[in-house]
Amino acid sequence: MTRFHRCGSYVPGTRREWLKRAANGFGAVALASLLAETDSGRYLAAADQAGGAAPRDAFAPRPGHFAARAKHVIFLYMDGGPSQVDTFDPKPLLQQQNGKPFAMKIEPTQFNNIGNTLGSPWKFAQHGASGLPISELFPHLSRHADSLAVVRSMTSDFSEHTNGNYFLHTGIGIQGRPSMGAWFGYGLGSECRDLPGFIVLNGGLIPPGGLDNFNSGFLPATYQGSIFNAGDAPVANIRRAEATDKLQLNKLALLSKLDRRSLDRLGHVDQLESAIANYELAYRMQTAVPGLANFSDETEATRSLYGCDSKNNGTAIFGRQCLLARRLVEKGVRFIELTCPSVGHDRWDQHGNLRRGHTDNALAVDQPIAGLISDLKQRGLFDQTLLVWSGEFGRTPFAQGGDGRDHNPFGFSIWMAGGGVKGGVAHGATDEFGYKAVENKLTIHDLHATMLHLLGIDHERLTFRFGGRDVRLTDVYGEVIREILA
């Protein structure tokens, strides 16, 4: 006897029996509801009643284990690995030792050509009533210092981009596991009927590891990330090909009927069930998506706040992504991830030309993120939205060559803000050079546990049976970072 888990709930009986009773065609049931006012819809509804299938909607909102502090996540993914000692973790000794041989033992690096100690080219200043130190790379974000919880002691198990990205996104440094956005959808569903629960806003740079960073892995395929662009057409082929709505609905009804016959014969087939559910969602998206990226109903002041019309192309792209993210939150989308725009050279991965690379990447995201925070606050959405800013690792405090930094998974900075997060705090610490975490050392599993906690989920109880055991996003690790909770 196996027991199927979701958010700590249990269904007795064998998994096969449960799937036969409750999941046999959940997409068909949803599609029948969609088509209920058509002749084909009435046929499907009657077939459901005759067949005794239990209604189940993969996208419906579900309660967590306890009261949530936030309803939505906006994950600001800083692809490539921003340098902690140039952004949120000032190190005076690093400046004093600039140009001298590095005084600590150097761990194996991703690449060779190790140089001397490299002080930050940017000055730090204290901001807000909290006095939180932030680099001059972020003049706009600095105005929200009292809303940020900076974690300076994050670590990763990997120093290579692809494995580091898988670890950040899925909790495991290998390909094929469910992305955190998929886990949130699986555990909580979505509050939006017309859009996917997990949306990735592509700024133009798909990270190393590719689309598997946003995959559903062994979870049902309905929970995988949907890639949207930030331009005028967020989703390709969103217009129906049929001449009339009735013709399209009739085709969908026929597809559903054929798929149900296959399900009756084969039992649970995730690909079929997910396809049926996605047919329904795609139909609804035809109405919802075209207006999403039409910002004509936004005031000029709002567009300016985000930098949507900036002369800097990177700022304009990421500004549109952040504004679209806010609109998706308003629609009820559960998990939204933003990837970086191209700034004319490499992402935050500055093995050389650190000054130009980090300057251009910060310029692209600084105003849009600050605008997003301001806009969420003024619309009353900040306290129900969790924002997370992170790369897959940090960078070394010593140079690669003369003007770059190598990958550093031993201690780096991220920040969180919004629903349930304490603002104006810095948690954890690296050593005096900013190389390794030495105080309150944390892992990506702790980050995931905290994110789930803020949305009302106990990470140890959100499980899926796979490979003979109950698997979770945090594997067998993870502790909630309670010191940064409000």
Side-chain angles (χ1 to χ4, degrees), residues 91-138:
K91 295 297 177 182
L93 185 61
L94 197 65
Q95 304 304 108
Q96 296 172 18
Q97 297 290 319
N98 183 48
K100 296 180 180 180
F102 192 62
M104 294 180 63
K105 177 186 175 182
I106 295 178
E107 302 290 343
T109 56
Q110 183 68 24
F111 300 99
N112 293 319
N113 196 20
I114 296 171
N116 291 325
T117 304
L118 181 61
S120 178
W122 297 279
K123 296 179 180 178
F124 281 77
Q126 293 180 316
H127 294 276
S130 61
L132 189 70
I134 299 177
S135 161
E136 61 182 337
L137 279 172
F138 301 110

Side-chain angles (χ1 to χ4, degrees), residues 7-233:
C7 284
S9 60
Y10 298 86
V11 178
T14 68
R15 185 159 160 253
R16 182 181 298 275
E17 289 171 350
W18 183 87
L19 290 167
K20 184 81 173 179
R21 289 199 310 269
N24 186 14
F26 67 80
V29 175
L31 185 59
S33 174
L34 172 68
L35 305 178
E37 296 182 0
T38 68
D39 290 339
S40 53
R42 282 191 289 273
Y43 170 81
L44 283 174
D48 287 331
Q49 292 177 1
R56 177 174 179 263
D57 186 348
F59 303 109
R62 291 178 286 276
H65 300 120
F66 43 80
R69 304 295 300 275
K71 297 180 179 179
H72 317 278
V73 176
I74 298 178
F75 183 64
L76 303 162
Y77 171 50
M78 299 294 107
D79 185 2
S83 167
Q84 68 282 358
V85 295
D86 296 306
T87 54
F88 299 101
D89 194 5
K91 295 297 177 182
L93 185 61
L94 197 65
Q95 304 304 108
Q96 296 172 18
Q97 297 290 319
N98 183 48
K100 296 180 180 180
F102 192 62
M104 294 180 63
K105 177 186 175 182
I106 295 178
E107 302 290 343
T109 56
Q110 183 68 24
F111 300 99
N112 293 319
N113 196 20
I114 296 171
N116 291 325
T117 304
L118 181 61
S120 178
W122 297 279
K123 296 179 180 178
F124 281 77
Q126 293 180 316
H127 294 276
S130 61
L132 189 70
I134 299 177
S135 161
E136 61 182 337
L137 279 172
F138 301 110
H140 294 276
L141 182 62
S142 296
R143 299 169 190 163
H144 294 286
D146 290 337
S147 297
L148 307 182
V150 175
V151 175
R152 293 174 173 169
S153 54
M154 188 56 62
T155 65
S156 174
D157 290 351
F158 301 92
S159 61
E160 188 272 332
H161 289 296
T162 297
N163 297 107
N165 284 330
Y166 289 148
F167 190 46
L168 173 65
H169 284 87
T170 74
I172 299 290
I174 58 175
Q175 186 179 28
R177 300 299 285 260
S179 181
M180 54 181 159
W183 279 107
F184 276 87
Y186 168 71
L188 293 172
S190 178
E191 294 187 336
C192 181
R193 298 286 302 166
D194 302 329
L195 294 166
F198 174 22
I199 293 177
V200 179
L201 300 181
N202 177 20
L205 295 176
I206 296 297
L211 298 181
D212 270 345
N213 286 292
F214 320 122
N215 213 335
S216 59
F218 47 70
L219 294 179
T222 46
Y223 301 116
Q224 72 180 19
S226 296
I227 311 298
F228 280 31
N229 297 314
D232 294 334

